[in-house]
Amino acid sequence: MPRTCRELWMANPSFQSGMHWIDPDGQGVGDNPIYVYCDMTSGSTSILHDSESAIDVGHCADPGCYSRSINYNASIRQIKALVELSSECHQSIKYDCYYALFEFVAIPYAWWNDRDGNAQYFWAGENTDGIHTCQCGIDGNCVDSSTKCNCDAAAPIQLVDDGVITNKNVLPVTRLNFGRTQLETSSGIHSLGRFECTGTVALTKMPTSCEDLLLIGHTLNGFYSIMGSTMMESIYCDFTKLPDDAGVYLYDSSSHYTHFTGFMLEEEIVASL
């Protein structure tokens, strides 16, 4: 079974765009395969969720008083595996607002949670430094030049902020939170696009870790040869774990147990035979 839509296309270019089964974390290991949308023109993989349509946030006053969890047609393990295999991932987001501010007098009323549950205040691009901004803030053309988002303009007019979040290390969006829509005339409507990944992570060197071996297609647990710091080494790879899973101990050919955490070897000998 292919791990991405790109692999599916490479196996059979005659496949049509549509819903297909893939297994990013490897066939026969990890979680069950997932049903995704494959664009056979671009080779992109899109994971569907339950909040793709436009949804009204209603009326409430406090920061994040409206909160909606986003449920994907895939486990977080499969999503992370797809991210590891892809060179680029993104997700579009749009908020139609009428006097419904993201931020007011430096108080955040709206944010989204990333895949680890962390609050994020940027609505476009790759910003992860905690700075509140939207696409108009990046482009420098917001309705109110003193703000970073159109919806932050304290004006009773219909406005919109839309953008594409491109930092694959924090995506996908797992929860949307909005507030400050308490006025009868205030309104906020959010639309969240599918989580889409494209491309492949190219490995142009000898594998130096289990993560490298996973990227080039290995999924069977066992001993493998990799390039160590000075010579070839033999290590045991447990592909039921992903790069940020809890560590395991691997046995190498130098008769030492080497501590292995999330697919990245550490230079720490913890025991010897």
Side-chain angles (χ1 to χ4, degrees), residues 139-208:
D139 297 337
N141 58 6
C142 294
V143 171
D144 182 346
S145 60
S146 67
T147 67
K148 296 296 185 181
C149 294
N150 287 323
C151 290
D152 288 339
I157 57 175
Q158 189 68 48
L159 295 169
V160 63
D161 278 302
D162 58 356
V164 178
I165 301 168
T166 57
N167 191 322
K168 75 171 190 173
N169 296 317
V170 299
L171 287 171
V173 175
T174 58
R175 181 175 291 273
L176 290 170
N177 312 275
F178 298 97
R180 200 173 173 79
T181 58
Q182 69 271 31
L183 299 179
E184 184 178 348
T185 55
S186 296
S187 68
I189 299 175
H190 66 74
S191 304
L192 182 65
R194 297 172 178 178
F195 180 55
E196 183 175 354
C197 292
T198 59
T200 58
V201 177
L203 188 66
T204 59
K205 57 181 178 60
M206 284 288 293
T208 59

Side-chain angles (χ1 to χ4, degrees), residues 1 3-4 7 10 24 26 81 84-86 200-220 224-227 232 235 237 239 243 263:
M1 180 174 290
R3 297 181 297 170
T4 68
E7 286 188 7
M10 292 178 67
E84 289 294 325
L85 295 169
S86 306
T200 58
V201 177
L203 188 66
T204 59
K205 57 181 178 60
M206 284 288 293
T208 59
S209 66
C210 294
E211 183 179 12
D212 287 349
L213 292 167
L214 180 68
L215 290 176
I216 61 177
H218 294 286
T219 59
L220 295 177
Y224 291 87
S225 294
I226 64 166
M227 176 58 69
M232 295 296 292
I235 62 170
C237 292
F239 290 113
F263 286 134

Side-chain angles (χ1 to χ4, degrees), residues 81-126:
L82 176 63
V83 169
E84 289 294 325
L85 295 169
S86 306
S87 58
E88 185 272 338
C89 298
H90 62 268
Q91 193 165 20
S92 63
I93 191 165
K94 179 181 179 183
Y95 191 60
D96 292 283
C97 55
Y98 188 92
Y99 207 67
L101 284 65
F102 287 138
E103 184 177 277
F104 183 66
V105 292
I107 299 175
Y109 282 83
W111 63 90
W112 55 274
N113 295 98
D114 62 25
R115 71 186 186 209
D116 294 319
N118 301 312
Q120 301 289 350
Y121 301 94
F122 69 101
W123 303 88
E126 294 196 1

Side-chain angles (χ1 to χ4, degrees), residues 48-109:
L48 285 62
H49 59 79
D50 64 352
S51 303
E52 295 179 29
S53 60
I55 300 174
D56 194 322
V57 305
H59 297 284
C60 63
D62 297 330
C65 51
Y66 167 89
S67 186
R68 181 179 179 86
S69 176
I70 313 300
N71 299 303
Y72 291 86
N73 292 1
S75 67
I76 193 65
R77 175 192 169 88
Q78 289 284 35
I79 291 174
K80 288 181 177 180
L82 176 63
V83 169
E84 289 294 325
L85 295 169
S86 306
S87 58
E88 185 272 338
C89 298
H90 62 268
Q91 193 165 20
S92 63
I93 191 165
K94 179 181 179 183
Y95 191 60
D96 292 283
C97 55
Y98 188 92
Y99 207 67
L101 284 65
F102 287 138
E103 184 177 277
F104 183 66
V105 292
I107 299 175
Y109 282 83

Side-chain angles (χ1 to χ4, degrees), residues 226-233 253:
I226 64 166
M227 176 58 69
S229 57
T230 59
M231 57 182 293
M232 295 296 292
E233 297 176 356
S253 58

Side-chain angles (χ1 to χ4, degrees), residues 119-136:
Q120 301 289 350
Y121 301 94
F122 69 101
W123 303 88
E126 294 196 1
N127 173 14
T128 55
D129 55 10
I131 297 176
H132 167 60
T133 190
C134 295
Q135 187 61 50
C136 71

